[in-house]
Amino acid sequence: MRDDGHVLKQWKGRQALAAAPVRVAIRWRTDGRTAGVPAGIYRLRLRAGIEMSIGNTPDHDIDVEQTWSVAVGLPRPAPSIARAPALSAAPAPAGSRATLYTVHLGNLHSQTNHSDGGGALGRCSGSQAPQSAALGPTEAYDFARRHGLDFLMTSEHNHMFDGSGGTNAGADPATVKALYQSGIHAANTWNLAHPGFLAMYGQEWGVIDHGGHLNILNGGELLGWERNAAGDLLADTATPRNDYATLYALMRQRGWLGQFNHPRGDQFAIDGKPLAWTPDGDAAMVLCEVLNSNAFSNRDDESEPRHSTYEAGCNKLLEAGYHVAFSSNQDNHCANWGASSSNRTGVLIERGDALTADTFVAALTARRVYATMDKNAELVLTANGRMMGERFDNRGRLTLQVRYAGRRGQRPAAINVFAGVPGRNGEVKLLSRKASTVLTPTAGAHFYYARVTQNDGKMLWSAPIWIHQTRR
């Protein structure tokens, strides 16, 4: 399909999926022509569904959607694009002091032996039995720093601190809570000894089925719902399973920030409505994971070819009203923290400020973040000179400027600027294929973000910019 959503060709089929992976072939060439479409950059959308039967009634539920940019033939070069100065972003509005930023690259989604990660590479091919692996947070931070990352978050599954994937009826609450606090201590100790690298420890809260995972990025307490046989809570603070409204309210009260992990359209429901917006959630949730590499990769040379995109889910969250920036992580379960692929989350810290927990949280709160599949490329979006992540009132014309820099000879093959309306719960639409776009928005709220596809197929996503158009 084109980026404007116009479908050019469709394939449909049915294939049984059991314990082993299945390869499905599609007939791309027709009568010697490549699908009958001219040369260019297109989007390939793949939907996988689960077919079930309720009694004698068949039911079909879309479970996974992926979208990828594909090149057909030899596409024309992308329009010229302003270069983002290396490790800096665009200036503030005219008349104010220019602000430069240092880009820090890292991974905000990984596990160690505090939950179901930390498996040695030679033997790791999947999730580990909780707390069975040899390697913990300290080893993870050391590995990530040695492999060039600026920050790493170990995000342990909150319901596995009892050493079980289910509920450990014999678990000791004191031991469970002490393990979580030991992780916070390990990160703090590491940061004192290693300035310039930020170690983060937190929790991945929730379950996938009929729920949804999210990372609490700076939480000082273990949250949970499980209890042992004596009825003791196996956490510091009780949070009902899948009760996102209550969780968001607690996060906002505590000042904790969150990231939606690999969001699907049927997750994060409140009162039966998936991806539901609340004021508390909007205040607490700052990131949406738009891309994730294979969670069970055991590669440590950035050569992992398998990735999953969640742009559709993130777009629905933006349309619901969430003010989230895009992140790109690896969800490492093996001992290759941040090194299975070249994808990273880029966080912009004001030039001259050290990378600390405080400056990092300030950048996340401001949504000065971009997602990239290429650690050597940078992307910035501005609106009337205002930095991506900002919210401001606008009157008259709006100039959107996409700035990109690649340091390994890569160049843009496609530039796409998208537009949406927070709270509309509609569809995000393609606005422009240009690096510089001038428009006069209609009155009301709008958001815009950019996606750049490089000539090697790797993509970058800017953070959105939110405006409220007051008058033309």
Side-chain angles (χ1 to χ4, degrees), residues 222-285:
L222 177 62
L223 308 183
W225 54 82
E226 295 182 328
R227 296 179 182 272
N228 63 14
D232 300 318
L233 179 68
L234 300 176
D236 291 304
T237 304
T239 49
R241 174 172 168 168
N242 294 341
D243 186 345
Y244 292 95
T246 297
L247 176 66
Y248 297 152
L250 177 65
M251 291 174 65
R252 184 179 190 179
Q253 181 187 52
R254 298 284 202 271
W256 296 343
L257 305 182
Q259 169 184 272
F260 291 106
N261 291 348
H262 37 70
R264 297 191 321 222
D266 61 345
Q267 295 179 329
F268 307 107
I270 298 174
D271 295 330
K273 181 181 179 181
L275 307 177
W277 181 90
T278 72
D280 293 329
D282 194 24
M285 302 303 294

Side-chain angles (χ1 to χ4, degrees), residues 295-343:
F296 305 128
S297 172
N298 61 6
R299 305 189 187 203
D300 62 356
D301 59 357
E302 300 184 348
S303 64
E304 175 55 49
R306 290 170 290 180
H307 300 81
S308 297
T309 65
Y310 301 94
E311 190 169 0
C314 292
N315 281 343
K316 288 183 181 298
L317 287 161
L318 288 168
E319 275 281 334
Y322 281 97
H323 292 79
V324 288
F326 298 120
S327 59
S328 173
N329 301 307
Q330 298 187 17
D331 199 0
N332 310 106
H333 284 70
C334 300
N336 55 353
W337 298 279
S340 67
S341 177
S342 64
N343 64 304

Side-chain angles (χ1 to χ4, degrees), residues 5 28 99 228 445:
W28 173 246
T99 302
N228 63 14

Side-chain angles (χ1 to χ4, degrees), residues 6-196:
H6 179 72
V7 177
L8 300 173
K9 193 168 183 64
Q10 287 182 307
W11 297 267
K12 291 183 180 181
R14 181 183 297 177
Q15 177 71 52
L17 180 63
V22 171
R23 186 180 298 272
V24 177
I26 60 173
R27 188 180 179 186
W28 173 246
R29 298 184 66 86
T30 304
D31 298 329
R33 301 177 65 194
T34 308
V37 299
I41 303 293
Y42 297 90
R43 296 290 282 173
L44 178 65
R45 181 171 62 195
L46 306 100
R47 288 176 172 172
I50 301 172
E51 190 171 278
M52 304 173 293
S53 293
I54 302 175
N56 295 320
T57 303
D59 183 43
H60 187 72
D61 178 43
I62 295 296
D63 188 53
V64 176
E65 178 177 316
Q66 295 281 297
T67 56
W68 292 97
S69 295
V70 294
V72 176
L74 296 174
R76 288 178 295 178
S80 59
I81 187 169
R83 181 175 176 81
L87 299 182
S88 67
S96 63
R97 181 180 63 86
T99 302
L100 297 180
Y101 301 90
T102 300
V103 176
H104 295 277
L105 297 165
N107 179 25
L108 288 171
H109 191 177
S110 69
Q111 284 77 35
T112 75
N113 67 0
H114 283 200
S115 60
D116 62 345
L121 295 186
R123 300 187 299 274
C124 183
S125 60
S127 180
Q128 315 298 295
Q131 299 178 18
S132 68
L135 304 173
T138 298
E139 290 83 5
Y141 304 140
D142 179 63
F143 181 96
R145 187 176 74 96
R146 287 188 289 106
H147 284 76
L149 276 71
D150 298 317
F151 59 86
L152 177 75
M153 178 181 181
T154 55
S155 49
E156 312 295 350
H157 291 283
N158 72 303
H159 57 91
M160 292 185 181
F161 279 82
D162 63 351
S164 170
T167 299
N168 182 355
D172 174 24
T175 302
V176 169
K177 292 183 282 188
L179 179 61
Y180 186 78
Q181 292 301 319
S182 75
I184 294 177
H185 178 74
N188 292 339
T189 300
W190 179 270
N191 289 331
L192 288 173
H194 302 86

